[in-house]
Amino acid sequence: MDIVSIIEDKKNRRALSKEQIAFFARGAADHSIPDYQLAALLMAIRLNGMDARETADLTMAMAESGDMLKPDVQGVPVDKHSTGGVGDTTTLVLAPLVAACGGKVLKMSGRGLGHTGGTLDKLESIPGMRVALPEEEFIQAVRTVGCAVVSQSGQLAPADKTLYALRDVTATVDSIPLIVSSILSKKFAAGAKAIVLDVKTGSGALMPTLDDSIALAQAMVDIGAHAGRSIVAVVSGMEEPLGSHVGNALEVKEAIDILAGRSGGPLKAVSLFLGAQMLIASGLAGTEDQARSLLTDALDSGRGLLKLKEMIAAQGGDARVCDDVTLLPQAPVIRPMLAREEGYLAHVDGTALGLAAQRMGAGRIAKDDVIDPAVGFVMQKRIGDFIRRGDTICTLHAKNEASAAEAEGRIAAALALSPAPAPRARLLYALVTPQGVQTLNA
Ligand code: URA
Ligand code: CA
């Protein structure tokens, strides 16, 4: 087998065999194929595509390029993955709720990337919290508590590590077979048997148009059928931050407020929708109605919040934050940002808001930057709201006044007001299952 003939085949639009694909994935993982040939093949795949069988073979070959965990969690290991949002704290709401309903949530999360927040960074704002648990320890936590959120352990999908870094610098990120194999190889290697995907659509998303986002969702669901995993995908909007809180400790606080019954809104609604799909995919509920009533019971009875406490304690964190959110890091400057104009909030640049939080210190600019867990902002207005001059648009949590003033400029530039009433942003667009695409209007 040689790499030039594999590139040649894909250049000429021929489907690659399982053996050719395995050769490519192995060569990426152990660097026996040089970067220039990997990059040429990536571009040929980006331009000429892969069918469902090739994509499934690539996904499995990438998963098998490193460790394959076989977690015995005494149940169906279920995971949820979002393709990247702002103010998107669904994991911290739904992992405890799903666990409270008997689910076994084994979640390997990432750090913040660019304008999007990372669940690990959010969790580390809780004093003492550890996310780098040894394998035996997190599997034990999933068994006893029902959920654990940890950093990637072991050598999972090393082929993806090589290929993702190359894609980033060769304009080959936006390829459905490459995105599908990248995301799912890591999930399969981590041992997930049931997977709920939250595919974002809109500006700043992996796939800009709704049709492309639905096609990506369908491609991932198809791989589940090929690989014997239960996969469903939800296509959701990212016009504005999902929750009102943007920033690490602030997002933990919002998740606690929802689990404590003090807060609601779109973050709660989307978390319950995704959580219901996780219960169905795990076989713990037969219908969406049944799943929702299980989750609502867990929320209303306080069992969800109790699970979050257990999860935090199992990972070494101070679980008292669940009863007293003031134990979370607090920013020195907390002040409102007031509206200088009036009108309906017609458009929000979610990417720009994420970048504003990043610049305040909530995210990294360079890879080794240290995050400030306390900073960010709490939006008081959503798309469709009418804003009067002097209204509080958001509350800034900044490290100093200069940072607050800079954030104010960035946030103002990210909002567009209109004299005419503006519709609310859509939250959920579609549910894609092996049975087909169901349009959602929420
Ligand atoms: N996230 C991934 O892990 N891989 C992709 O290709 C895109 C998003
Ligand atoms: Ca946007």
Side-chain angles (χ1 to χ4, degrees):
M1 186 108 32
D2 74 286
I3 183 68
V4 178
S5 67
I6 299 175
I7 299 169
E8 188 80 31
D9 280 345
K10 190 41 76 183
K11 182 183 78 179
N12 291 314
R13 300 171 190 274
R14 283 192 284 272
L16 302 180
S17 70
K18 186 175 177 161
E19 292 69 32
Q20 286 178 308
I21 288 169
F23 182 85
F24 164 53
R26 236 181 357 256
D30 66 12
H31 300 281
S32 59
I33 301 175
D35 284 355
Y36 51 82
Q37 288 172 320
L38 294 174
L41 183 51
L42 288 170
M43 185 56 84
I45 294 170
R46 162 63 182 80
L47 294 176
N48 293 334
M50 278 184 149
D51 63 26
R53 194 273 308 155
E54 288 176 282
T55 308
D57 284 346
L58 181 58
T59 305
M60 291 317 295
M62 285 169 65
E64 287 164 359
S65 71
D67 297 344
M68 293 287 281
L69 306 188
K70 293 196 176 54
D72 176 12
V73 295
Q74 296 165 355
V76 177
V78 59
D79 198 351
K80 169 242 135 193
H81 180 85
S82 155
T83 61
V86 175
D88 188 335
T89 323
T90 55
T91 296
L92 298 186
V93 178
L94 58 76
L97 283 177
V98 170
C101 299
K104 299 291 181 185
V105 185
L106 197 179
K107 177 96 185 79
M108 289 199 180
S109 280
R111 301 274 168 195
L113 193 66
H115 65 279
T116 66
T119 305
L120 297 182
D121 296 326
K122 295 172 198 176
L123 281 174
E124 281 180 342
S125 70
I126 299 168
M129 192 77 179
R130 290 180 301 132
V131 295
L133 297 194
E135 194 177 325
E136 304 76 57
E137 207 178 326
F138 74 68
I139 291 171
Q140 188 57 35
V142 176
R143 273 195 204 147
T144 53
V145 177
C147 57
V149 181
V150 299
S151 56
Q152 193 170 299
S153 89
Q155 266 276 84
L156 296 190
D160 178 61
K161 204 166 169 204
T162 307
L163 295 178
Y164 196 77
L166 282 174
R167 287 167 57 209
D168 208 21
V169 292
T170 55
T172 51
V173 170
D174 62 342
S175 152
I176 286 179
L178 295 178
I179 295 172
V180 169
S181 55
S182 169
I183 292 175
L184 292 182
S185 61
K186 287 171 280 191
K187 300 286 152 199
F188 290 1
K193 293 283 186 241
I195 302 166
V196 174
L197 296 156
D198 179 10
V199 177
K200 302 289 180 190
T201 190
S203 76
L206 279 174
M207 288 287 154
T209 72
L210 180 58
D211 284 349
D212 286 339
S213 302
I214 290 176
L216 174 60
Q218 278 179 306
M220 302 225 247
V221 170
D222 284 350
I223 299 307
H226 276 271
R229 260 85 167 176
S230 164
I231 300 183
V232 302
V234 175
V235 178
S236 70
M238 58 178 296
E239 296 312 312
E240 63 187 331
L242 184 56
S244 54
H245 292 50
V246 181
N248 295 286
L250 290 169
E251 292 182 45
V252 171
K253 174 184 178 296
E254 186 170 21
I256 292 170
D257 285 345
I258 289 173
L259 290 171
R262 286 189 293 270
S263 185
L267 174 59
K268 178 179 169 183
V270 172
S271 299
L272 288 175
F273 188 83
L274 293 170
Q277 300 306 323
M278 288 170 79
L279 290 181
I280 295 168
S282 303
L284 293 166
T287 63
E288 212 169 294
D289 282 348
Q290 198 187 356
R292 284 191 82 84
S293 84
L294 288 172
L295 290 167
T296 309
D297 277 354
L299 187 74
D300 295 346
S301 64
R303 282 184 294 119
L305 186 62
L306 198 61
K307 274 295 167 208
L308 181 64
K309 280 187 196 170
E310 290 174 23
M311 180 185 109
I312 292 172
Q315 297 188 216
D318 184 351
R320 293 175 308 162
V321 297
C322 294
D323 298 316
D324 181 0
V325 290
T326 65
L327 294 172
L328 289 165
Q330 306 282 322
V333 173
I334 301 178
R335 69 160 176 88
M337 165 177 168
L338 304 180
R340 297 198 178 133
E341 301 166 89
E342 82 173 28
Y344 291 91
L345 184 53
H347 180 78
V348 171
D349 183 339
T351 302
L353 285 185
L355 289 172
Q358 180 193 32
R359 296 302 294 229
M360 294 175 86
R364 296 176 190 80
I365 312 245
K367 200 166 116 263
D368 298 323
D369 284 353
V370 175
I371 277 181
D372 183 339
V375 300
F377 45 87
V378 180
M379 296 299 294
Q380 312 284 353
K381 302 290 178 189
R382 297 194 75 85
I383 292 175
D385 285 346
F386 186 72
I387 298 177
R388 285 183 183 74
R389 205 166 286 117
D391 277 359
T392 299
I393 291 181
C394 68
T395 307
L396 301 161
H397 294 241
K399 62 173 183 275
N400 53 41
E401 181 48 43
S403 172
E406 189 190 326
E408 197 161 14
R410 289 177 187 277
I411 294 168
L415 309 178
L417 302 189
S418 134
R424 301 237 170 247
R426 234 167 109 184
L427 292 177
L428 298 170
Y429 287 85
L431 173 65
V432 182
T433 68
Q435 284 72 48
V437 180
Q438 183 190 332
T439 301
L440 303 169
N441 266 310

